[in-house]
């Protein structure tokens, strides 16, 4: 009886290891070019999940990076494109670019002209010196919302707070998450399937 119990425990352990082995992170190598309206080195491509940081866009508009999240297929991770002076754009996999498997790994190529891109729906911000709020309409369903804090070429992703409004919509609460020692900006993004809502970039001045 004791031996059978030990064998059963070993079998369960091996089964758990096999399941855990299947739960790996699928990473995407992406490279592309953005047609910049003016020469700048401040444009960024920001995966909304599964990246250590933003991908810098050089002055020729080219960028390269790798991203991926545990238990999340790459087809479910949109990319935010921030070009100074323009409202950010959201690129949705399958709609705006394709992810292809090659030799067991995922790759994507993007060639973007922001002037011809599908613009996201506007998301109005109301800001104080410490935070911003934005209201998603009632028809926006199954949304994933993110606050993207821009600090030069660095980014921080924060999940906003939420409040249900009387009209069925959702109020997003974007608290400024970092000490205000210098000027930083934030943008609120909500992806609802193939639909996206994006705010203007709000800048908080340093002391």
């Amino acid at each position: 009886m004791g031996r059978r119990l030990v064998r059963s425990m070993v079998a369960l352990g091996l089964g758990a290891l096999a399941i855990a082995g299947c739960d790996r992170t699928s990473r995407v190598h992406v490279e592309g070019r953005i047609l910049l309206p003016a020469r700048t080195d401040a444009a960024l491509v920001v995966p909304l999940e599964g990246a250590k940081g933003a991908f810098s866009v050089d002055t020729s508009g080219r960028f390269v990076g790798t991203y991926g999240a545990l238990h999340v297929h790459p087809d479910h991770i949109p990319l935010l494109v921030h070009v100074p002076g323009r409202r950010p754009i959201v690129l949705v996999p399958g709609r705006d670019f394709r992810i292809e498997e090659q030799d067991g790994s995922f790759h994507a190529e993007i060639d973007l002209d922001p002037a011809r891109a599908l613009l996201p729906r506007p998301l109005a911000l109301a800001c104080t010196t410490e935070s911003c709020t934005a209201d998603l309409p009632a028809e926006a369903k199954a949304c994933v919302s993110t606050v993207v804090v821009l600090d030069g070429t660095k980014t921080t992703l924060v999940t906003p707070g939420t409040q249900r409004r009387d009209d069925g919509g959702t109020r997003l609460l974007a608290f400024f998450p970092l000490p205000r020692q210098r000027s930083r900006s934030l943008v609120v993004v909500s992806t609802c399937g193939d639909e996206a809502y994006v705010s203007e970039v709000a800048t908080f001045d340093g002391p």
Side-chain angles (χ1 to χ4, degrees), residues 34-40 43 83-86 113-115:
I34 300 172
L35 183 60
L36 298 174
R39 193 174 181 85
T40 178
V83 177
R86 289 178 173 266
D113 181 354

Side-chain angles (χ1 to χ4, degrees), residues 31-178:
E31 53 186 282
R33 179 177 178 274
I34 300 172
L35 183 60
L36 298 174
R39 193 174 181 85
T40 178
D41 60 358
L44 300 172
V45 176
V46 186
L48 293 180
E49 193 168 0
K52 293 182 179 179
F55 308 146
S56 297
V57 181
D58 66 22
T59 54
S60 71
R62 298 193 178 279
F63 68 93
V64 63
T66 302
Y67 65 97
L70 187 64
H71 309 310
V72 180
H73 194 278
D75 282 343
H76 299 155
I77 302 178
L79 304 178
L80 180 78
V81 179
H82 169 60
V83 177
R86 289 178 173 266
R87 188 156 59 91
I89 296 169
V90 174
L91 300 181
V92 177
R95 186 194 71 182
D96 302 308
F97 67 98
R98 294 177 60 186
I99 296 174
E100 298 181 339
E101 187 174 2
Q102 300 174 7
D103 300 325
S105 58
F106 292 105
H107 299 265
E109 293 185 4
I110 296 173
D111 191 1
L112 175 66
D113 181 354
R116 296 185 177 182
L118 179 65
L119 294 179
R121 293 178 178 268
L123 190 61
L125 285 181
C127 296
T128 67
T129 58
E130 299 294 337
S131 64
C132 296
T133 60
D135 290 341
L136 281 171
E139 61 266 22
K141 303 295 185 183
C143 299
V144 177
S145 300
T146 307
V147 179
V148 181
V149 180
L150 304 168
D151 182 11
T153 59
K154 298 179 181 179
T155 57
T156 303
L157 305 184
V158 182
T159 301
T162 59
Q163 292 179 347
R164 199 67 176 171
R165 300 200 323 267
D166 292 340
D167 62 0
T170 301
R171 173 156 292 175
L172 305 175
L173 309 174
F175 297 101
F176 200 71
L178 299 173

